[in-house]
Amino acid sequence: MKTLDIVVPCYNEEEMLQIFYKEVSDNLKNIKWNVIFVNDGSNDNTLEVIRELENSYDNVKYISFSRNFGKESAIYAGLDYSTEDYVVLMDADLQDPPSLIPKMMEYIKEYDIVGTRRVTRKGEPFIRSFFARLFYKIANKITKIELVDGARDFRLMKREVVNAILDLKEYNRFSKGIFQWVGFETKWLEYENIERQKGESSWSFWELFKYSIEGIVSFTTAPLHIATITGIFFSIIAFLAIIVIVIKTLLFGEHVEGWPSTVSIILFLSGIQLFAAGIIGEYLAKIYLESKKRPIYIIKEKD
Ligand code: UDP
Ligand code: MG
């Protein structure tokens, strides 16, 4: 039987980690496993709790960041630190049920990845699930990769898959896209949404919105093409309008009229221009950040 590395990003999870460890050990009686906690610059006692766990149990490893780098960076660091042939990625808040892991270990014999998806969004605010669904619809229309609605980061992967993910060294990491982008054969397990036991979700609505833009900008250049096409469309209309205006002026003379329509058109078109400039700016910002080649995370302490 192969050993399993469980990678857990932790941000302000002091209340969860003991419960988490116990819950995982209860469910993994027949499997050899290690846990790798990645302390993502928590400002509570998460690091102390992790040190205690590391002192008490042989199978606990950890890395601690110099500041909060975000879950995506914590995932990368944890995968980077893992060594075993099988790696599970899961949240510390037990929203990813450890009871699924034995079943995942069965399926990994036939697949490269065993992923999980939530079939319900029970307990999630309506607005949030509405926008989440909308995001998946739009993203799947305009990107070439297929994002799975409700797919969690909770997944079991073989070493080859982990290495492939680690090869994508981009600074702006959108894991949901990266996981799909690398390919491999995936078995999806479905489960009902489980609410967070303690602590609170660190995602605000605004952060989720920015995350959606991140997802789209990281995986498709479609918005740039849409801007170009819109530009061409309005240029054609403008060209036709010029012909009409010139002929009309020649035939009927010039009247100073049409102030409201002129202003409306100017406002409308400058809106579109700003929007298009904004899209270009998003990509430019990405190029700027990537070109600095900054590290994805900085470790301050490890086991
Ligand atoms: N997390 C992290 N860094 C952050 C935010 C979150 O490592 O900046 C971790 C967090 O500790 C948890 C997981 O990512 O283990 C998921 O976070 P959360 O439960 O807040 O997200 P949600 O379940 O609401 O998507
Ligand atoms: Mg959660």
Side-chain angles (χ1 to χ4, degrees), residues 9-11 13 40 68 70-71 91-93 95 196 201-203:
C10 310
Y11 178 63
E13 301 283 5
D40 183 13
N68 178 252
K71 185 182 176 187
D91 288 358
D93 57 10
Q95 280 189 299
R196 190 179 239 290
S201 169
S202 38
W203 289 86

Side-chain angles (χ1 to χ4, degrees), residues 27 187 228:
N27 280 286
K187 165 76 189 170
T228 312

Side-chain angles (χ1 to χ4, degrees), residues 23 26 61 65 98-99 105 136 154 208 239 259 266 275:
E23 188 75 20
D26 287 349
K61 303 185 192 177
F65 287 175
S99 55
M105 289 297 272
Y136 281 110
F154 181 31
L208 282 174
F239 182 70
W259 185 83
I266 290 175
F275 182 60

Side-chain angles (χ1 to χ4, degrees), residues 119-137:
V119 280
T120 57
R121 289 176 172 271
K122 194 178 70 184
E124 206 180 58
F126 171 78
I127 297 278
R128 184 166 162 177
S129 51
F130 172 79
F131 279 106
R133 292 226 165 84
L134 187 69
F135 165 71
Y136 281 110
K137 283 226 175 71

Side-chain angles (χ1 to χ4, degrees), residues 44-58:
D44 64 357
N45 287 323
T46 300
L47 183 58
E48 284 74 20
V49 178
I50 293 176
R51 287 198 197 115
E52 271 167 38
L53 283 165
E54 200 252 340
N55 284 331
S56 324
Y57 305 101
D58 284 342

Side-chain angles (χ1 to χ4, degrees), residues 8-13 17 38-42 46 65 68-75 90-96 118 124 128 152-153 176 193-194 196 198 200-203 207-208:
V8 190
C10 310
Y11 178 63
N12 295 347
E13 301 283 5
L17 295 183
V38 183
N39 175 34
D40 183 13
S42 305
T46 300
F65 287 175
N68 178 252
F69 278 84
K71 185 182 176 187
E72 305 291 325
S73 301
I75 290 176
M90 69 194 292
D91 288 358
D93 57 10
L94 291 176
Q95 280 189 299
D96 303 329
R118 291 184 303 178
E124 206 180 58
R128 184 166 162 177
R152 301 275 306 170
D153 292 338
K176 285 188 193 325
N193 189 29
I194 300 170
R196 190 179 239 290
K198 292 211 163 65
E200 53 191 63
S201 169
S202 38
W203 289 86
E207 280 170 326
L208 282 174

